Each structure stands twice: as C-alpha cells, then as structure tokens.
Amino acid sequence: MGSPMTAVIKTLLDQAFMAPAGVGLFFCAMSLMEGNSMQEAWASTKAKFKPTMMANYMLWPVANLVNFAFVPPAQRILYCNVVYIFWASYLSAMASNKGGDEDDLQRLDPALAHKEL
C-alpha cells in the first residue's frame, strides 16, 4: 500500500487545496447553471461554503487516509467512488437549499446543530 507519511501528505494536500476549490466551484457552478447572476452565485457559495467544508473535514480526511494507507492502488478509485456517493448526496442537499440560512444548513447537517457557524 503506502507509507503512513505519504498518506498524511497526500491527505493534507487534498484537503488544503483540492477540497476548498472543489466545494467553491461546485456551489458557484450550480448556482450559475440555475440561472442566477454571478453576485447571487457568490452569495450562495459564501453561505454554504463553511458548513460544507466542516462536513468535508469530518468525512474526507479519514476516508483519504484509509484510501492512501490501506486500499490497494487498483481499488482506490472504486473506494473513493463509493464514499463519493454519500458525499454527492450531501452536496446535492446543500445545493438545493435556496436560502443559505444557517438554520436550514444546520438541519441538513445535524453534526453542526450545536456548533457555532
């Protein structure tokens, strides 16, 4: 598989660069494809970014460490795709939240119900 240090480095790089870029682009693109203006897309992205990244940091670091450290290279894409099915469902629920209201966002993510946003 991989060395523990390699797994940690790959996970840190993914979470520091790819995750924020991917989440931001996802919400912005979805909003624009729904016919919203760039200002509306930016406002929606800003409202949904922090709670989504908090959920991301609860799921993907562990999933990536397991992937890089224990999953054979030939099976890594399959493993990530299975995890991504659940993540895509979460992103879809967040994207469909039109208001960006913090109470609505907390209802979508119960883990955030008692955390200050």
Side-chain angles (χ1 to χ4, degrees):
M1 297 338 134
S3 75
M5 184 53 74
T6 300
V8 169
I9 290 170
K10 287 181 179 181
T11 298
L12 287 173
L13 289 171
D14 177 70
Q15 293 303 301
F17 298 105
M18 295 305 294
V23 167
L25 286 171
F26 173 80
F27 286 129
C28 190
M30 288 299 296
S31 187
L32 291 171
M33 287 188 284
E34 290 171 350
N36 295 320
S37 69
M38 190 59 171
Q39 291 80 12
E40 292 169 323
W42 178 247
S44 174
T45 300
K46 283 182 12 180
K48 297 171 182 178
F49 186 80
K50 185 175 179 180
T52 303
M53 287 307 297
M54 290 173 71
N56 172 82
Y57 291 138
M58 288 189 270
L59 170 66
W60 285 107
V62 173
N64 282 334
L65 284 172
V66 168
N67 187 36
F68 296 135
F70 302 111
V71 178
Q75 302 300 317
R76 287 183 180 166
I77 292 174
L78 175 62
Y79 170 82
C80 283
N81 286 342
V82 169
V83 175
Y84 191 77
I85 289 170
F86 298 101
W87 181 244
S89 298
Y90 176 82
L91 285 177
S92 178
M94 288 296 286
S96 71
N97 178 22
K98 298 294 180 204
D101 179 74
E102 288 182 3
D103 291 335
D104 290 340
L105 294 175
Q106 287 179 341
R107 278 193 290 280
L108 287 173
D109 190 349
L112 299 176
H114 299 294
K115 293 182 180 179
E116 185 177 316
L117 294 177

